[in-house]
Amino acid sequence: MKKNALVCAVGLGAIAASISAPATAQSAPADLAETAEQANSSAEAIVVTGTRVLRDGYNQPTPVTVATTSELEKATPTNLADALNKLPQFVNSVGPAANSQLQGNTAEHGNLLNLRGVGPLRALILLDGLRVPPTTFRGAVDVNTLPNLLVQRVDVVTGGASAAYGSDAISGAINYVLDKNFDGIKGVAQYGTSTRGDLGNYKVGLAAGIGFAGDRGRLLVSAERFDSNGITRGDRIYGNDAYAAVGSVVGGGPAGRAANPFIFLPNLRLGANDFNNGIVTSANSPGVNNRIFNPDGTLRPVVRGTPTGTAGTFVGGDGLYLPGSNTLIAPLTNTSGFARLSYDLTDALTFHAQGTYTRSVTSYDTQAKASILGFTFFSGNAFLHPSVQSQLGPNGSFVLFRFIDDLGPIPTRETVDSYVVNTGLEWDMGGGWGLKADYTHGNSTTKFSQTQFQIQRLAAALDAVRAPNGQIVCRVQLTNPGLYPGCTPINVFGRGTPSEADIQWILGDSRYRAENTTDDFTVTLQGDLFDLPAGAVSVALGAQYREQKLSLTSNSDPAIPLDVTGLRGIPANRRTVFNNTNIGVAAGDLNVKEVFAEVAVPLLKDRPLAAELSLNAAGRITDYSTSGQVETWKLGAVYKPVDDVMFRVTRSRDIRAPSLFELFAGVQTAAVNFTDPHTQSGGSIRQLTGGNANLRPEIGDTFSAGVVFSPSFLPGFNLSIDYYDIKIKGAITQQGLADVVNECEVSNGTSPTCDLITRPLPFSDRSAANYPTEVRLITQNISFLRTSGVDLSATYRIPLGQGELTVGASANYLDRFVEQTNSIAPVLDRAGYGINSQTSFAFPKFRGNFSLNYRNGGLNIFVQENVIGKVKIGNIPGDIANVYAVPDVKPVFYTDATISYQFEDLRGQPELFVTATNLFDRKPPLVAANAAPGLIYPTLFTLYNVAGSTLTAGVRFEF
C-alpha cells in the first residue's frame, strides 16, 4: 500500500532529530529510535505534531513531548490518560482517582487532561491531528472515550498551537496518534488490585490489521474494555475521621484571617445540622429551640463539643459530619470499538473512512439520600411526641435539620455514549505537493440519573396530620384533595425514622441529557514553493469549517418556579424540583469559518557556526458566528550552530473560544444566605446564573525558548531545556456573588456590575430595607492568568552487560502562576501553593520523573520515581481570607515499577508483565478543606495518590 506523507503524521524521525522526545520520562529513546526508523522506511515525509509543514528531518521550533504507548504502559497500565498525568507538564487534571467534585452538577467526570494547570478547556485534544468533539456539556473532552489499543504514541505540544489547529490550544495540544499501518493481531488481558484487596480492575483488548487487494487496502479493527470497582472514603486513611479546616482561635473573628488562621482537626461537628437525629435550629417555643430529637421522639438539650475558631463548628458532641460511605474513587467501565478502512484508489489518491464508538459508565455515592434541610414543622404534626406538642402549643413551629445517613448515600449513574466518524482523501499531486481533505462528524450524549428526594413530595409527606377518622395523612390530602395522590406521611423525629419503605413515594430521579454534535470539514494543501541554498521553502495552506450544537435537557430546570400549591414549610433555598441536583437547560449552536497558512524557510545549512538556521511562521483567521473575527499567529526560529546543539524560540497568539454551555446555558436560580456589605444586614438572596451570548474568545500570548543538546562525543545522551511564558487575557469566568456586590460597593455604585444587582431602593439608601432581592451572576471575560516556568528533559542510553540501560529524567520548575479572577480581586501568585476545596488547586514549584529501564533480550525492568515538590498550604501573599497555621507539605516521592518478560520464540511473542504503582504505599498528605466536616476528602486530590499501592499483572501478545 502506498504510504502517503501524511500517514506518518507526528512521526518520530523529526523527534529523533529535534530531541524533544526526552521531555517525558516515560519515553525510552531506544524505542523511539526504532519507531522512527520504521516510520522513515514507510513514509516519503515526516510530519511533527504542532506544524502542518511536510518535510523530511524538519526541526520545528515548538517543543513537543512524545510518549510511546509502550513506555506509558510501563508506568501505568490502566489507561493512557492516567500515565500522561504523571508527566510534569500536566497539573490538576481530573480523573477517576483525582476528582473531589463527585457531584452531579459539575459534569466534569472522566479523564480531563489539564496541560500547564490552566484548565482542561484550554488544551486541545486531537486524534491523528483532528479535533476531538467535546464529551461533557461544559465543553471538555474525556479522553477515556478515545481508543487505546491502536494508539502508537501520544504527542504533547507544550506551547500555543492555535495557529496550527484552531481554538482551545492556548496551553497546547495533546495528539493521540494511531498506528494506521499495523499488520497482524495483538491483544492484552490484565487484572489489577490494590494491596488492600480492593480497587479490583481488569482490561481486555484485541486489535487486528490486514492488507488486501495487493496491499492497496488496509482494514484495522479493535475492541477493548476496562472496568474498575472503585472504593469509598472509609476504605482509606482519614475517610472516617470527619476532618475539616477550622479557625484556630475561639472568638478570633472570621476563620482563615490572620487573627484566626486555619488548622486541620478531626472529629468535627457542624452545629447547624445533625447526623441522623435531627436538630431544631429555631422555634417560637424556648423549650423546643436548640434541642435534639431522641429515638423515641422526645427532645433533649444539644450537647456541644469543644468550640473551634470557626463559629458553629465543634470537636465532638452533637452535630453533622459526612461519613466514609461517600465515594472516593468512582467505579468506571469503558467499552470501545474502532474500525478503519483505507484504500489506494490510484497510486496517488488514497481514501479512508474510520469510526470510533465508546461507552463510558461511572457511578458514585455522595452525601445522604435522605436529608431534611431547614424545613418548618407546625404544631399538630401527627408524629410529634406529646411532650413536644405541649411545649409548642397550638400555634408553634420549628425548623429542623437532619442528615439521615441510616438510609444510605445518594446513588448516581452517568453514561457517556460517544462516536466519531471520519472520512477523507489524500492526494499525492507530484512535485512534492499533497492535498488532504477530511470530514469529521462527532456526537457525544451524556445521560445522568441521581436518586434523591423530590421537594414537593417531601414537603407534602413531612406535613403529617390526623384526619377526622384519626388516620395519619398528608395535610395536603385534606386541603387539596387529589393534588398529591398516594402521599405517604413520614416521621423524621429521631434516629431510626423513617424506614426505607417510608420514603419510596418521595424518591425520584433527577435526570439530564446532554448532547454535543460536531461537524468539521478541513482541507490542507502542502508542498514546496521553491528552493533556497539551504533547502526548500515549504508551505501549508488550508481552510476549515465547523458546526457545533449543544442540547441539554433536564427534568429539574431550576429556572421554572416550583409550584407549592397546598404545601408549606419549604425553605426559600429549597424551592427546586429535587433536594440536591437541579440542572438548568441549554441549547445553542455556532459555526466557525477559518483559513490558515504556514511557511518554513531554511536560511542557512551546513555553514560554519550555522549547521542550520530556519524560520517558521503560521497564521489563522477565524470567524465565529457568535463573536466575529479573530486572528491567531505563530513565529518561530531554529538555530543550530553545530549539529550537537539546537536553539529554538517561538512567540504565538492563541485563543480559546467560549463553549456552547458558557454561551447558551439557561437561567439557573438558587437561594443563598448572604451578608450585604451595603446595608450591613443578612438574609436570603436569589442568585441567578446562566450563559452569556456576548462572550468573546480568550486571548493567549505564549513565548517559549529552549536548547537541545545531543553531544556527538557522548552517544546516547540527549538534554533539552525549555522556558515558557503563557498570558491569558479576558479569561472566561463567572464572578462570584460577593465579588459582584463588593465591586459595586467599592465603586460607590458606579461600576457596571451594579446593573447586576436588584435593590428595592436607590443605591444611596443604606438601610436594611434596601437589602438586595436578586443578583445575576454572568459568565464574563474578566479574568487574567499568567504562568511561566522551565521544562527539563534528559535521557542517556548505554550498553550494560548483554543488555541496554536507559536513564531518563523529566522535570518542571514553575516560576509563577498568577491569577486575578476579576477587576477588584487581588492578584495572586499560586506557584508553590495549594488549597483543598470544592475547586481545589495545587501548584508545586517542582515536579519531576526519574526512570531507569534495563532491557536484555526478552527481559525488561523499569523503575520510575515521581517527585512532587513542597507545597505551602494557603498563605498566598494578597489572599487575606486563606491564612493557615499548618506546616508545609514536604516533597512526596512515589515509586512505580514494572518487570516483564517477552517469549520471543513463542507464537505471538507473549509478554508477561507485573506493574506496581506507588510501590511503597505512600499515604496522601493531610490537607483538610474549609467545608462541612468530612464533606471533602482531606488531601489535594489532583496531586497526591489516594489509592495506595496497586498491583497489575497481565499478558500482551502480537501475531
Side-chain angles (χ1 to χ4, degrees):
M1 178 179 179
K2 184 177 178 60
K3 306 300 187 294
N4 186 278
L6 291 167
V7 169
C8 292
V10 202
L12 293 172
I15 299 302
S18 67
I19 317 299
S20 59
T24 165
Q26 278 83 355
S27 52
D31 295 339
L32 294 182
E34 291 169 1
T35 306
E37 290 170 4
Q38 295 166 5
N40 280 317
S41 67
S42 61
E44 297 174 359
I46 304 300
V47 180
V48 180
T49 298
T51 180
R52 293 180 180 268
V53 169
L54 294 176
R55 186 196 299 163
D56 288 328
Y58 171 56
N59 290 316
Q60 69 154 330
T62 303
V64 178
T65 296
V66 175
T68 64
T69 299
S70 61
E71 298 305 312
L72 290 172
E73 290 173 339
K74 289 176 184 176
T76 309
T78 50
N79 59 63
L80 297 181
D82 289 346
L84 285 171
N85 276 320
K86 293 182 178 179
L87 304 185
Q89 293 90 347
F90 291 94
V91 184
N92 295 324
S93 294
V94 171
N99 187 0
S100 63
Q101 299 190 50
L102 288 178
Q103 298 183 22
N105 58 359
T106 62
E108 298 299 324
H109 305 140
N111 257 310
L112 312 180
L113 298 175
N114 191 349
L115 187 57
R116 300 295 188 204
V118 298
L121 294 180
R122 297 186 178 109
L124 183 61
I125 307 299
L126 305 170
L127 180 63
D128 273 332
L130 297 174
R131 176 185 296 267
V132 177
T135 60
T136 75
F137 68 70
R138 294 183 182 273
V141 174
D142 176 9
V143 294
N144 284 338
T145 61
L146 301 179
N148 277 206
L149 197 56
L150 280 171
V151 172
Q152 187 177 49
R153 57 194 177 271
V154 182
D155 296 352
V156 183
V157 182
T158 55
S162 291
Y165 298 115
S167 172
D168 306 335
I170 284 184
S171 62
I174 300 102
N175 189 16
Y176 283 64
V177 182
L178 299 176
D179 183 2
K180 292 179 287 190
N181 296 316
F182 175 70
D183 190 87
I185 298 174
K186 66 178 178 178
V188 61
Q190 65 185 54
Y191 179 80
T193 181
S194 78
T195 54
R196 294 166 176 80
D198 52 23
L199 264 182
N201 64 86
Y202 69 86
K203 181 168 74 173
V204 292
L206 189 66
I210 185 172
F212 62 92
D215 209 30
R216 296 183 69 87
R218 179 160 300 276
L219 176 66
L220 296 175
V221 293
S222 71
E224 50 197 300
R225 182 181 178 91
F226 172 78
D227 183 271
S228 177
N229 291 337
I231 55 175
T232 66
R233 297 182 185 184
D235 294 328
R236 292 297 183 267
I237 187 173
Y238 316 133
N240 288 313
D241 296 339
Y243 267 100
V246 293
S248 55
V249 180
V250 178
R257 303 298 174 96
N260 187 15
F262 286 125
I263 57 174
F264 304 147
L265 292 178
N267 194 32
L268 291 169
R269 301 291 185 268
L270 184 66
N273 205 329
D274 184 68
F275 186 76
N276 272 331
N277 299 296
I279 183 172
V280 177
T281 59
S282 66
N284 53 16
S285 172
V288 177
N289 192 32
N290 200 28
R291 296 292 194 273
I292 291 277
F293 276 96
N294 292 310
D296 63 0
T298 60
L299 289 170
R300 64 170 174 82
V302 175
V303 178
R304 293 300 185 200
T306 304
T308 69
T310 296
T313 302
F314 305 85
V315 178
D318 291 323
L320 172 67
Y321 67 94
L322 279 297
S325 56
N326 287 5
T327 297
L328 178 61
I329 298 178
L332 173 69
T333 301
N334 245 36
T335 307
S336 66
F338 171 81
R340 174 184 170 87
L341 173 69
S342 60
Y343 189 80
D344 290 343
L345 301 174
T346 69
D347 289 342
L349 185 63
T350 300
F351 164 81
H352 77 265
Q354 68 181 43
T356 302
Y357 170 77
T358 302
R359 165 166 282 198
S360 180
V361 180
T362 187
S363 58
Y364 51 90
D365 296 329
T366 177
Q367 301 187 34
K369 178 166 56 181
S371 55
I372 312 300
L373 304 174
F375 279 75
T376 299
F377 292 79
F378 302 90
S379 175
N381 188 291
F383 292 114
L384 285 176
H385 192 275
S387 63
V388 179
Q389 177 61 60
S390 65
Q391 294 183 70
L392 276 178
N395 300 310
S397 64
F398 60 87
V399 174
L400 180 75
F401 282 83
R402 184 181 170 197
F403 195 90
I404 312 176
D405 186 61
D406 290 344
L407 299 178
I410 299 172
T412 306
R413 177 184 172 91
E414 294 184 28
T415 302
V416 179
D417 290 291
S418 176
Y419 70 87
V420 179
V421 178
N422 169 261
T423 185
L425 293 169
E426 298 176 29
W427 179 22
D428 184 348
M429 303 167 65
W433 286 87
L435 180 71
K436 182 177 181 181
D438 276 286
Y439 166 67
T440 300
H441 173 76
N443 179 282
S444 178
T445 301
T446 300
K447 295 178 181 178
F448 167 94
S449 178
Q450 185 178 80
T451 303
Q452 54 187 285
F453 276 175
Q454 301 174 82
I455 291 296
Q456 291 165 311
R457 291 193 172 197
L458 176 61
L462 292 176
D463 198 0
V465 298
R466 288 194 180 274
N469 63 2
Q471 181 183 359
I472 299 178
V473 298
C474 301
R475 175 179 172 272
V476 71
Q477 291 176 312
L478 302 178
T479 60
N480 301 79
L483 192 57
Y484 289 96
C487 181
T488 304
I490 62 170
N491 178 10
V492 295
F493 303 134
R495 182 186 288 267
T497 61
S499 70
E500 182 72 31
D502 291 337
I503 67 172
Q504 291 307 305
W505 183 78
I506 304 171
L507 292 174
D509 290 334
S510 175
R511 298 186 302 272
Y512 71 76
R513 182 183 186 275
E515 182 176 11
N516 289 284
T517 304
T518 300
D519 290 282
D520 198 338
F521 304 82
T522 305
V523 177
T524 307
L525 176 68
Q526 299 129 323
D528 297 334
L529 282 178
F530 52 85
D531 289 331
L532 294 176
V537 175
S538 301
V539 298
L541 308 169
Q544 190 166 2
Y545 177 78
R546 184 170 70 254
E547 292 182 349
Q548 290 182 270
K549 296 179 181 179
L550 170 66
S551 173
L552 173 59
T553 57
S554 165
N555 69 343
S556 58
D557 186 354
I560 300 175
L562 191 70
D563 184 358
V564 296
T565 301
L567 305 175
R568 60 178 181 168
I570 304 175
N573 60 359
R574 290 285 155 184
R575 299 204 169 194
T576 49
V577 178
F578 291 96
N579 203 26
N580 292 85
T581 300
N582 295 274
I583 300 295
V585 301
D589 59 77
L590 60 80
N591 63 71
V592 187
K593 307 177 188 71
E594 301 179 276
V595 293
F596 56 86
E598 183 174 359
V599 59
V601 182
L603 299 179
L604 296 174
K605 185 176 177 63
D606 298 329
R607 299 289 185 89
L609 295 180
E612 178 185 345
L613 175 63
S614 61
L615 301 178
N616 175 276
R620 179 179 289 251
I621 299 175
T622 304
D623 181 61
Y624 288 93
S625 61
T626 53
S627 56
Q629 182 173 304
V630 64
E631 295 82 28
T632 55
W633 49 266
K634 181 188 75 172
L635 297 173
V638 169
Y639 172 55
K640 296 177 68 174
V642 293
D643 288 335
D644 294 3
V645 180
M646 181 179 77
F647 297 94
R648 55 191 178 195
V649 61
T650 63
R651 170 74 168 84
S652 66
R653 166 64 56 88
D654 305 285
I655 62 168
R656 178 184 85 84
S659 71
L660 288 172
F661 185 79
E662 290 169 329
L663 289 166
F664 302 117
V667 175
Q668 303 191 35
T669 182
V672 179
N673 294 324
F674 180 69
T675 299
D676 177 29
H678 185 70
T679 60
Q680 294 298 304
S681 60
S684 180
I685 189 171
R686 190 168 183 254
Q687 174 181 289
L688 289 86
T689 60
N692 180 1
N694 295 317
L695 288 173
R696 306 179 309 278
E698 300 176 342
I699 301 298
D701 290 307
T702 299
F703 172 79
S704 68
V707 59
V708 180
F709 185 42
S710 306
S712 55
F713 60 83
L714 190 61
F717 177 78
N718 301 297
L719 170 69
S720 67
I721 303 173
D722 287 281
Y723 169 81
Y724 63 90
D725 186 352
I726 303 172
K727 302 176 188 176
I728 303 175
K729 297 175 290 186
I732 298 169
T733 189
Q734 189 176 87
Q735 199 167 1
L737 170 62
D739 292 334
V740 169
V741 177
N742 289 334
E743 183 171 340
C744 178
E745 189 67 15
V746 169
S747 71
N748 197 29
T750 62
S751 170
T753 59
C754 297
D755 295 334
L756 304 176
I757 305 168
T758 300
R759 296 182 184 274
L761 302 170
F763 181 86
S764 57
D765 190 309
R766 293 183 177 272
S767 69
N770 203 23
Y771 184 85
T773 58
E774 183 178 277
V775 174
R776 296 173 299 283
L777 304 183
I778 299 177
T779 304
Q780 302 176 80
N781 296 92
I782 56 175
S783 183
F784 169 80
L785 191 153
R786 183 178 185 181
T787 183
S788 62
V790 177
D791 290 327
L792 182 146
S793 176
T795 56
Y796 186 38
R797 188 179 66 231
I798 54 173
L800 182 64
Q802 298 299 310
E804 183 179 74
L805 176 68
T806 301
V807 182
S810 178
N812 171 265
Y813 173 76
L814 182 64
D815 178 53
R816 62 184 152 195
F817 196 96
V818 176
E819 190 171 15
Q820 185 182 31
T821 57
N822 61 77
S823 61
I824 68 165
V827 178
L828 303 179
D829 188 352
R830 304 183 192 274
Y833 295 88
I835 291 178
N836 191 7
S837 67
Q838 286 278 18
T839 55
S840 62
F841 66 87
F843 296 101
K845 286 258 185 178
F846 177 83
R847 290 188 68 197
N849 299 325
F850 305 90
S851 66
L852 296 174
N853 191 86
Y854 178 70
R855 183 168 58 189
N856 186 348
L859 176 67
N860 196 92
I861 301 173
F862 173 85
V863 179
Q864 177 174 279
E865 195 72 10
N866 305 297
V867 183
I868 300 172
K870 180 179 72 173
V871 176
K872 300 177 182 179
I873 305 303
N875 304 322
I876 301 173
D879 187 359
I880 63 173
N882 287 288
V883 180
Y884 286 73
V886 298
D888 299 340
V889 178
K890 296 179 180 179
V892 174
F893 299 81
Y894 295 111
T895 304
D896 302 328
T898 293
I899 182 169
S900 64
Y901 190 84
Q902 187 173 33
F903 296 88
E904 298 175 342
D905 296 331
L906 295 182
R907 179 175 172 81
Q909 298 185 335
E911 179 186 26
L912 302 179
F913 65 91
V914 177
T915 298
T917 58
N918 191 7
L919 178 63
F920 300 110
D921 198 29
R922 178 69 163 85
K923 295 176 176 57
L926 175 65
V927 184
N930 174 28
L935 176 64
I936 299 175
Y937 189 79
T939 195
L940 297 171
F941 263 85
T942 58
L943 192 61
Y944 300 118
N945 178 294
V946 298
S949 181
T950 60
L951 298 173
T952 302
V955 59
R956 302 184 186 99
F957 58 88
E958 182 173 339
F959 294 94

